[in-house]
């Protein structure tokens, strides 16, 4: 079985928030696809057999706090399951 190793890289920096200890970015790259804050994306659910979701990337930041469990943070506003969309706009 092929490895499912994912490659991730931050792109264009936006700003650093010293209070929240977050470094915000305008773009990032996952696998070979470049994403930007504001992009609409398909999201895969954790459970198999569930329809894809549609969402918009709200922010992308690195959690810079010591001991942070996940430094790659992408906030997404969820919209709807793909199956509920009009087929002409999929």
């Amino acid at each position: 079985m092929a490895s499912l190793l994912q490659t991730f890289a931050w792109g264009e920096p936006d700003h650093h928030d010293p209070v929240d200890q977050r470094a915000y970015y305008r773009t990032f790259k996952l696998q070979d696809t470049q994403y930007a804050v504001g992009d609409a994306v398909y999201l895969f659910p954790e459970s198999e057999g569930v329809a894809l979701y549609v969402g918009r990337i709200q922010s992308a930041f690195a959690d810079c706090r010591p001991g942070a469990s996940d430094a790659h943070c992408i906030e997404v506003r969820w919209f709807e399951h793909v199956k509920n969309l009009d087929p002409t706009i999929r």
Side-chain angles (χ1 to χ4, degrees):
M1 186 170 171
S3 172
L4 297 177
L5 180 66
Q6 294 186 356
T7 58
F8 180 92
W10 290 116
E12 183 181 355
D14 190 6
H15 68 282
H16 183 268
D17 185 333
V19 174
D20 290 339
Q21 297 184 37
R22 294 177 174 177
Y24 287 86
Y25 293 84
R26 291 186 181 106
T27 62
F28 62 93
K29 190 172 187 177
L30 179 61
Q31 300 302 77
D32 292 325
T33 304
Q34 182 83 17
Y35 297 94
V37 172
D39 283 352
V41 294
Y42 288 121
L43 302 162
F44 290 91
E46 292 181 4
S47 302
E48 289 187 32
V50 176
L52 296 175
Y53 290 94
V54 176
R56 182 169 310 278
I57 299 171
Q58 296 296 142
S59 67
F61 60 90
D63 187 343
C64 302
R65 295 175 299 165
S69 63
D70 190 359
H72 302 121
C73 302
I74 311 300
E75 292 182 327
V76 176
R77 175 173 289 165
W78 300 77
F79 289 123
E80 190 58 80
H81 285 287
V82 171
K83 69 180 183 175
N84 296 337
L85 294 178
D86 182 327
T88 62
I89 60 171
R90 288 187 195 167

